[in-house]
Amino acid sequence: MTAQTVILEVNRVATDMKEALKSRIDILAEKGIVPCLATILVGGDPSSATYVKMKGNACKRLGIKSIRIELPEHISTEELIAEIQKLNVDPSVHGILLQHPVPQHIDERAAFEAIRIEKDVDGVTTLGFAQNAFGFASFPSCTPAAILAIMDYYQIEMEGKHAVVIGRSPILGKPVSMMLLHRNATVTMCHSKTVNLEEMVRLADIVVAAVGKPNFIQGDWIKPGAAVLDAGYNAGNIGDVDYEACKDRASAITPVPAGVGPVTIATLLKHTVDAAEKLA
Ligand code: NAP
């Protein structure tokens, strides 16, 4: 490892974010308001169940109410939307999170779009995405917002830097690219049809990996001194970046596990408190 390499200890970022929420939750409590996040889990996918449980537990630890709605695998798109609409009109619910992915027969996009914008704390609606692209989203997608929060915490400069984002999904690659653009980075978005991906990554001052393939980003692709943010989380707790190979060249790097994930959860909690304050 080079002397300059900073391992981005994201648990510190998440802890600070949660600490900052405590006084805001206390002020809401004085007004008789308890921030409330409703999570919806469709089917029995064990990873999704674990993620929902982690989010619920994080809520409880901080004094945020968490409602967990578990729906059977065979539910229809219409039935799922009806459940979302109940939460949309429930004044005690401030945020709604539909755990991705839902079973294949469900129109996930239609279900996401059914979430009222004021309660879209996970930033999954197209309206939320559009607002994010214009730079004034109430609730940007949580993982992209977490990536920027980590960079801000460690004062990683974005303005004028060349950021290369690998992945263009609606929840990660696209919104994080827009957010970096708003911070005056020059952004290159790469995807599965990109030609000469390695050469693109070699030009990056900031690398954001959002591919969903274990150890995909190789050490010799990293320009010495680049900052490497690994959003990937694959089976076996493996990131999208070959951490051991990349950390020798990077100026800063997120490890996996204990990478972007804890800050994503802290961001979700922050958005839920933001939503409760707005309603108050
Ligand atoms: P996704 O929807 O599967 O998107 C993957 C993206 O990677 C797609 O845009 C795809 O390109 C691109 N890609 C696939 N193979 C490629 C290749 N060989 N070369 C270049 N690009 C390639 O995944 P996602 O939901 O964005 O998630 C990405 C990763 O982040 C996963 O590991 C996931 O577990 C993780 N994640 C972490 C968090 C967190 O809180 N830490 C949250 C969400 C996701 P095409 O568009 O051309 O298909």
Side-chain angles (χ1 to χ4, degrees), residues 37-41 48-50 52-53 56 66-70:
L37 175 71
T39 58
I40 306 172
L41 177 67
S48 293
T50 304
V52 166
K53 196 173 166 193
S66 143
I67 300 174
R68 189 168 160 181
I69 294 164
E70 291 179 14

Side-chain angles (χ1 to χ4, degrees), residues 20-239:
L21 291 177
K22 283 182 178 166
S23 57
R24 293 172 60 190
I25 292 169
D26 289 345
I27 292 168
L28 283 167
E30 284 164 16
K31 297 178 187 166
I33 297 164
V34 181
C36 173
L37 175 71
T39 58
I40 306 172
L41 177 67
V42 185
D45 177 65
S47 303
S48 293
T50 304
Y51 294 143
V52 166
K53 196 173 166 193
M54 281 164 64
K55 288 164 188 170
N57 289 342
C59 282
K60 274 181 211 135
R61 279 196 292 271
L62 213 60
I64 293 174
K65 189 177 169 194
S66 143
I67 300 174
R68 189 168 160 181
I69 294 164
E70 291 179 14
L71 300 170
E73 183 92 25
H74 56 74
I75 194 169
S76 68
T77 301
E78 292 70 27
E79 288 167 324
L80 173 57
I81 288 175
E83 290 293 334
I84 292 168
Q85 280 164 348
K86 277 189 226 162
L87 298 169
N88 278 341
V89 295
D90 182 340
S92 71
V93 171
H94 304 105
I96 301 170
L97 178 135
L98 171 60
Q99 183 63 42
H100 160 87
V102 294
Q104 283 204 333
H105 68 276
I106 291 175
D107 182 345
E108 184 179 76
R109 181 42 46 201
F112 279 152
E113 294 305 329
I115 298 172
R116 195 174 136 186
I117 185 73
E118 293 84 356
K119 301 191 179 190
D120 179 21
V121 288
D122 204 21
V124 293
T125 60
T126 49
L127 180 55
F129 176 81
Q131 290 179 347
N132 186 53
F134 278 83
F136 56 81
S138 301
F139 309 120
S141 307
C142 287
T143 306
I147 290 169
L148 262 77
I150 294 165
M151 294 179 78
D152 280 335
Y153 188 94
Y154 282 96
Q155 299 181 336
I156 294 170
E157 210 180 326
M158 291 173 244
E159 183 159 318
K161 301 295 178 188
H162 182 199
V164 173
V165 178
I166 308 102
R168 57 172 168 181
S169 73
I171 57 153
L172 226 177
K174 278 184 184 140
V176 81
S177 298
M178 291 299 160
M179 292 165 88
L180 287 161
L181 190 61
H182 274 288
R183 300 295 289 272
N184 295 324
T186 301
V187 183
T188 301
M189 293 172 71
C190 300
H191 46 79
S192 66
K193 306 292 185 290
T194 298
V195 177
N196 286 340
L197 177 71
E198 301 164 35
E199 294 309 316
M200 297 287 176
V201 177
R202 284 195 178 103
L203 297 173
D205 303 307
I206 298 166
V207 178
V208 178
V211 198
K213 290 189 189 301
N215 292 331
F216 182 77
I217 307 291
Q218 302 297 300
D220 63 351
W221 299 5
I222 303 298
K223 180 165 91 175
V228 179
L229 287 298
D230 185 357
Y233 196 65
N234 306 290
N237 288 343
I238 299 168

